[in-house]
Amino acid sequence: MGGLRCVDGSYLTVTPVACTDSVGAPYEVTLELHRDGTPYGSVGERCGWFLARLARGVDEARQGRGPARRWADPDDRFPGDEPDGELFSFRYRTRAGLPGGELRCQLRTIPVWQAGRGEWRLTRRAYVEAWAASGVGTRAVLTSSELAGFVRELLNEAEGCLKGRDMARNAGGGAGTGETR
């Protein structure tokens, strides 16, 4: 199970749970959130293919491919063209339209003063925020390396709960673009 130490000192656990079809065969995942061991929400129904695509994007950005190459430090390299943007947003709403939780990741560019050099240095960080249905939120701030490790851990567990199915199979085009049965 993937987990993050949050800025407020709490620990957010994110656990992939298999979604099953009418005959009980697992085909995708939903994410269960716990904060310090207490249930915090359920988000991202059928989000495994998206996580696989994100993992590939973060790996490519860290290698300096695409627009990320303009950032000298690999820990500042994230996918996407914009310096600040959203990498993912997983929500859950009940059938009645009530919120049931949220997990999102936004990029932020942060200026840091380098006193010894007398200049500003720009860094980029991923802000992973989780919100419970009650409206209480928590946040973790990650480098691209930490985000890559977190997403890979989620994917490895997702593939395990799907009995070894490769989540990256549909990562390029999205769900429904791979083999059919």
Side-chain angles (χ1 to χ4, degrees):
M1 88 186 84
L4 300 171
R5 177 63 58 195
C6 297
V7 175
D8 64 4
S10 64
Y11 194 78
L12 180 69
T13 305
V14 182
T15 307
V17 177
C19 298
T20 57
D21 62 17
S22 60
V23 295
Y27 67 94
E28 253 291 0
V29 295
T30 296
L31 303 176
E32 293 290 330
L33 308 178
H34 288 79
R35 182 178 182 194
D36 292 331
T38 303
Y40 204 60
S42 176
V43 300
E45 186 173 8
R46 296 181 295 277
C47 66
W49 69 269
F50 189 84
L51 289 171
R53 188 174 68 179
L54 174 63
R56 188 180 70 232
V58 173
D59 289 344
E60 289 173 358
R62 287 191 47 76
Q63 294 168 8
R65 295 186 195 155
R69 69 177 161 266
R70 68 178 179 231
W71 295 90
D73 186 347
D75 278 342
D76 294 332
R77 296 179 186 161
F78 293 91
D81 296 336
E82 300 177 30
D84 295 334
E86 188 170 83
L87 291 180
F88 63 81
S89 182
F90 302 131
R91 294 179 179 91
Y92 174 78
R93 292 204 179 270
T94 65
R95 290 178 191 244
L98 301 172
E102 181 176 1
L103 180 68
R104 69 178 173 204
C105 180
Q106 295 181 310
L107 295 178
R108 298 210 177 124
T109 303
I110 307 160
V112 178
W113 179 251
Q114 305 289 308
R117 300 179 72 173
E119 63 186 21
W120 290 97
R121 178 186 180 285
L122 293 179
T123 61
R124 289 175 85 197
R125 294 297 178 256
Y127 281 61
V128 177
E129 299 172 328
W131 298 89
S134 65
V136 176
T138 190
R139 170 185 300 156
V141 180
L142 309 176
T143 64
S144 66
S145 174
E146 292 166 333
L147 180 63
F150 171 68
V151 174
R152 283 280 168 221
E153 191 174 344
L154 286 178
L155 283 175
N156 288 340
E157 186 168 341
E159 289 171 356
C161 74
L162 296 178
K163 299 180 175 124
R165 180 172 161 223
D166 182 10
M167 295 304 300
R169 178 176 64 98
N170 291 334
T177 59
E179 300 173 21
T180 59
R181 53 178 174 146

